[in-house]
Amino acid sequence: MAPPQAAHVNLSPAELSFLRATLAQTPPIRLDHTKGPKDFRSMRAEYDVLPGANGSARIALEDGTEALVGVKAEVEKSPWRPSATESNVLSVAARDVEMRDQDEDESRGKGQNAWIEMSVEIPGFRDDDPLPVFLASMLTESLLASGELKDRLYINRRFHWKLYIDILLLSPPLSYPLALLSMTTHLALLTSRLPALKSEKDEDPLFDDDWDASVPLYPKDRPTQPDTPPVIVLAMAVGSNIIFDPCKEELSVADAVLAVACTSAPSSPNGARVVSIRTIDPPSHLTPPGIPNAMNSATGGTVPASGAEALTQRELLANSGVWTPPRGGMKRGLISEVVKMVVEKGGIAEEVIGALQSIEVG
Amino acid sequence: MAAASDRRRINAPSSGTSAPVFARTVKEPGYLQSLRPARTRRPNELRKTFLQTGIVPSASGSAYLEIPTTSTPNSKSTLIPPTSSLKITASIQGPKPLPRSAPFSPSLLLTTTVKFAPFATRHRRGYIRDAAERDLGVHLETALRGVIIGERWPKSGVEVVITVLEGDEDGWWGDAGQESASGMNGGGWALLNVLAGCITVASAAIVDAGIDVVDVVSGGVAAIVRDPTARNETERKVRILDPSPAEHQEIVAACVVGYLASRDEITEIWMKGDVGADSDGLIEGATYAAVGSVGVLKDVLLEAVEAKFKNQAATTSKEGTKRKQQDVKMTG
């Protein structure tokens, strides 16, 4: 049967109903009442924590969730693929060499998805359980979406970098860890460096052994197209309210949960651009429904005589305040509102990316 | 994540063997490109769908979905089909009581298993589910969890088992040598089509099993593709419904939704790629595609119900299940 879900919340139907009511009013009152709907939990972040990795970062949230990410790069031989277009490329290259003199163009479109390998390790879960698999595929997908990172891993026709991103959640998953893992990965990739290449063209690659000469994986000195790793923002909907970075208890009353991955986009009028969106199954669907006093003989009510009658009475409870697990999905307008709040100028995504960048600078 | 290898069977090579390169494709540079399939449908025209419920007698509910290929090979000289079709079966086990050892559950426990048959795609799939299949299972669970009224079955579980007999392809076979053409923005576009099919077929099977749902959920896909023939940059990105990945050289972004048509709600959304500013338009396109498949779904379910009641009127035996009654009709 189904494996146990991530850290079930032990709240009674009455508590769930109360929590939902406070989150659904305007303005919503969150569990931590000092925070507004757009506020994130405070965190401690540091980078370059692992001396043996090309880049690493650690972020600890205030509720004790802590993640560690290490990025390691290895030189790997590219398998030669027989392809029909190979000969065309060669003949074109021989005719107009001057067109291909830029490094950028040479590696463009040559990267492959298999060059990035990601593993997510969560204590208490096997690596083929649904949660780690889902987290790894969402993180990989958003990383590959722009296609620029994997092109930067191209060395020459025979060799390429292989990037291993190992994500470790050090604490049990107290809240849904997607946002935390993505922020830690973002910081680790942002501070990753690769050794500078000394060899030319299709020679066997030879690298500068001076670490000070190494090049950042995400170069900062490209004003035309600065590129940052993606960051994933978790948003949940309660009634018509949208709340970002929900904690575990808040998630247990959510109507719907959405994960939005974005990267920075300075050229567009928006603050960020979306690279991936996924819905996440809210744990509220598994919460126990409440029993109203009218149906409970212990509180002076009458127990319905038949199953059908009980069902009818339950359906009439919709707005009575007695907790019933939410049904259905998310309205389309609400989704577009979430996306707008995330990507707009000065929106959530820009704020998070800016904050993570300032950690490196400061 | 290294998938555990299957040690109990003698397995074929994991990567398969590469397809032969035919001499003509190397000698004539333009020949290979002339075989490339093109979309003959209009941008908002869906592929035809075949759906049938009640195909597995031993399951409490089941359905089969087929989306045949539309494009015919434009050259008779090649044996390789230009695009693939989608064939998915779903069967439902339950609702049945949880084992005594399981902890108490206040609502119906839903387990979804999506498995590609080993022969479903051009690359052979193993017997053990890989990461992509597990990921599809999670997506499908998300799509169905919001639809099923789980609180009516405490202490019970239901299993949704999906087998993909033939999956859509990630790209045209001619592009397989250079991943860059189709995999520019991450690739794996076919999984979205497969997920949309899985949602629709699972929904039909759930209704066939008689499990209470708030609405019939259906899947739909929309994509933004780059049109190489357009003149200026603004015209180049086109939104299409129900893309067949083999027919497009470059897919920029795609989105699949699980849509509840009568409630106008979305239980599952999976969007990937470089969407740009028009994410709302893409979601809207996917819902249009989902509305298209809900039409098929409703007709098929109506047919199944009509057939059931016709049989019930014909036979006096009350205990026979639906499928037994169909058997009676055929013999007598």
Side-chain angles (χ1 to χ4, degrees):
Chain A
M1 221 55 236
Q5 285 293 313
H8 219 72
V9 187
N10 288 318
L11 290 178
S12 67
E15 286 167 315
L16 290 168
S17 175
F18 172 75
L19 192 55
R20 200 201 126 93
T22 55
L23 287 172
Q25 65 186 11
T26 40
I29 297 174
R30 295 184 66 173
L31 206 63
D32 178 357
H33 61 91
T34 56
K35 290 196 166 64
K38 287 184 178 181
D39 289 343
F40 276 55
R41 286 168 286 175
S42 60
M43 61 173 95
R44 300 164 62 88
E46 54 181 336
Y47 66 97
D48 273 350
V49 282
L50 306 173
N54 288 61
S56 58
R58 187 192 74 106
I59 292 184
L61 287 183
E62 62 183 6
D63 65 356
T65 338
E66 190 175 349
L68 183 65
V69 171
V71 178
K72 286 203 56 117
E74 273 178 17
V75 176
E76 208 177 53
K77 242 187 154 124
S78 317
W80 180 75
R81 294 169 172 232
S83 96
T85 49
E86 190 76 9
S87 53
N88 302 345
V89 172
L90 281 181
S91 60
V92 169
R95 249 178 280 139
D96 38 15
V97 185
E98 65 281 355
M99 276 184 63
R100 291 166 32 106
D101 56 355
Q102 283 183 340
D103 266 5
E104 298 261 313
D105 291 343
E106 196 174 346
S107 64
R108 186 161 168 69
K110 298 238 177 83
Q112 283 171 23
N113 294 341
W115 294 356
I116 297 172
E117 199 171 307
M118 193 173 278
S119 80
V120 177
E121 187 77 31
I122 296 174
F125 285 85
R126 286 164 46 136
D127 65 353
D128 53 357
D129 272 344
L131 180 69
V133 167
F134 184 81
L135 294 178
S137 58
M138 169 111 203
L139 290 164
T140 317
E141 179 181 288
S142 51
L143 203 58
L144 292 173
S146 73
E148 286 173 26
L149 172 65
K150 62 184 184 193
D151 287 351
R152 246 172 269 146
L153 301 175
Y154 176 85
I155 297 174
N156 58 37
R157 206 170 292 151
R158 295 187 299 134
F159 291 94
H160 63 87
W161 288 108
K162 172 123 186 180
L163 209 60
Y164 294 92
I165 303 171
D166 296 296
I167 302 171
L168 206 63
L169 194 67
L170 297 175
S171 63
L174 298 174
S175 57
Y176 199 80
L178 181 60
L180 171 70
L181 297 186
S182 112
M183 284 191 285
T184 319
T185 313
H186 178 97
L187 192 57
L189 282 170
L190 206 61
T191 54
S192 292
R193 303 179 79 84
L194 296 175
L197 188 68
K198 273 164 77 178
S199 58
E200 290 174 346
K201 300 268 165 178
D202 279 351
E203 289 172 0
D204 282 2
L206 181 72
F207 296 98
D208 200 337
D209 59 358
D210 187 2
W211 189 244
D212 288 335
S214 60
V215 288
L217 187 60
Y218 280 89
K220 289 162 200 71
D221 51 351
R222 286 166 61 204
T224 49
Q225 246 191 344
D227 178 31
T228 55
V231 66
I232 299 173
V233 178
L234 215 58
M236 76 172 210
V238 176
S240 58
N241 285 341
I242 296 166
I243 291 162
F244 287 93
D245 195 32
C247 70
K248 182 178 71 165
E249 287 82 10
E250 287 169 340
L251 271 178
S252 66
V253 297
D255 288 346
V257 184
L258 209 61
V260 184
C262 357
T263 60
S264 62
S267 53
S268 77
N270 287 330
R273 63 191 167 88
V274 177
V275 288
S276 167
I277 300 179
R278 288 185 182 209
T279 43
I280 290 165
D281 189 26
S284 52
H285 286 149
L286 292 171
T287 50
I291 297 167
N293 285 346
M295 285 168 70
N296 189 352
S297 60
T299 53
T302 46
V303 178
S306 67
E309 200 182 325
L311 281 185
T312 327
Q313 289 196 17
R314 283 225 65 92
E315 293 308 309
L316 297 174
L317 286 177
N319 293 316
S320 64
V322 175
W323 174 256
T324 35
R327 292 171 188 171
M330 209 171 177
K331 292 277 178 208
R332 245 186 300 167
L334 216 51
I335 293 177
S336 71
E337 202 179 327
V338 170
V339 172
K340 193 170 148 266
M341 282 166 88
V342 171
V343 302
E344 69 190 350
K345 199 91 190 157
I348 307 285
E350 206 180 24
E351 205 175 307
V352 173
I353 292 173
L356 288 169
Q357 243 160 7
S358 65
I359 292 172
E360 195 200 352
V361 175
Chain B
M1 207 171 293
S5 65
D6 181 10
R7 290 199 215 96
R8 300 195 181 186
R9 298 173 188 84
I10 299 170
N11 285 309
S14 59
S15 56
T17 49
S18 40
V21 178
F22 293 104
R24 194 168 167 200
T25 60
V26 180
K27 271 190 265 173
E28 295 173 36
Y31 174 66
L32 188 66
Q33 293 303 321
S34 74
L35 296 178
R36 181 184 288 280
R39 185 179 167 110
T40 48
R41 293 172 281 150
R42 288 191 303 278
N44 52 3
E45 190 181 342
L46 307 179
R47 286 178 286 183
K48 289 190 172 59
T49 311
F50 174 80
L51 187 66
Q52 192 180 358
T53 58
I55 50 153
V56 182
S58 58
S60 54
S62 57
Y64 171 74
L65 172 101
E66 184 171 334
I67 300 180
T69 173
T70 47
S71 45
T72 48
N74 45 7
S75 159
K76 290 282 172 227
S77 58
T78 177
L79 293 171
I80 311 170
T83 57
S84 56
S85 52
L86 191 62
K87 293 173 187 166
I88 307 176
T89 65
S91 58
I92 308 269
Q93 309 285 340
K96 57 189 176 188
L98 287 177
R100 297 176 72 92
S101 58
F104 173 76
S105 159
S107 57
L108 186 67
L109 274 186
L110 178 70
T111 316
T112 51
T113 313
V114 177
K115 184 77 195 81
F116 280 83
F119 46 79
T121 47
R122 215 169 274 272
H123 276 274
R124 180 182 175 274
R125 302 268 181 166
Y127 287 98
I128 294 180
R129 290 192 293 150
D130 63 10
E133 289 164 349
R134 287 173 194 280
D135 189 30
L136 279 181
V138 177
H139 279 296
L140 183 64
E141 190 181 335
T142 310
L144 298 180
R145 185 63 76 57
V147 181
I148 291 178
I149 306 178
E151 72 217 49
R152 294 190 184 169
W153 285 275
K155 299 179 280 181
S156 41
V158 64
E159 283 175 50
V160 180
V161 183
I162 304 260
T163 308
V164 182
L165 299 175
E166 193 177 334
D168 259 343
E169 282 185 283
D170 266 345
W172 179 50
W173 58 270
D175 287 335
Q178 68 237 41
E179 202 181 324
S180 55
S182 59
M184 191 69 181
N185 299 309
W189 302 113
L191 288 181
L192 279 80
N193 272 346
V194 172
L195 178 63
C198 285
I199 292 172
T200 311
V201 74
S203 178
I206 282 174
V207 175
D208 187 41
I211 298 173
D212 296 359
V213 288
V214 292
D215 192 6
V216 187
V217 65
S218 64
V221 189
I224 298 176
V225 295
R226 199 158 281 165
D227 184 10
T229 55
R231 278 152 297 167
N232 54 13
E233 193 61 35
T234 50
E235 276 178 31
R236 289 186 73 181
K237 286 187 178 174
V238 188
R239 188 190 76 182
I240 53 167
L241 305 190
D242 192 21
S244 175
E247 292 172 352
H248 303 285
Q249 199 163 0
E250 194 184 340
I251 296 179
V252 180
C255 172
V256 54
V257 296
Y259 185 59
L260 307 178
S262 64
R263 292 169 68 104
D264 188 28
E265 284 180 347
I266 292 172
T267 56
E268 158 71 19
I269 171 168
W270 181 16
M271 181 194 285
K272 60 186 210 167
D274 193 356
V275 186
D278 193 29
S279 63
D280 292 347
L282 198 57
I283 295 173
E284 201 180 329
T287 56
Y288 289 152
V291 169
S293 53
V294 90
V296 178
L297 201 55
K298 279 186 176 157
D299 278 355
V300 168
L301 295 174
L302 200 64
E303 258 172 43
V305 168
E306 273 171 3
K308 187 177 171 183
F309 280 104
K310 214 184 273 174
N311 288 343
Q312 252 173 9
T315 176
T316 50
S317 119
K318 291 229 170 178
E319 48 154 16
T321 62
K322 183 179 69 183
R323 276 165 282 276
K324 274 183 192 159
Q325 288 160 1
Q326 278 174 350
D327 285 351
V328 168
K329 185 190 165 197
M330 272 186 268
T331 50

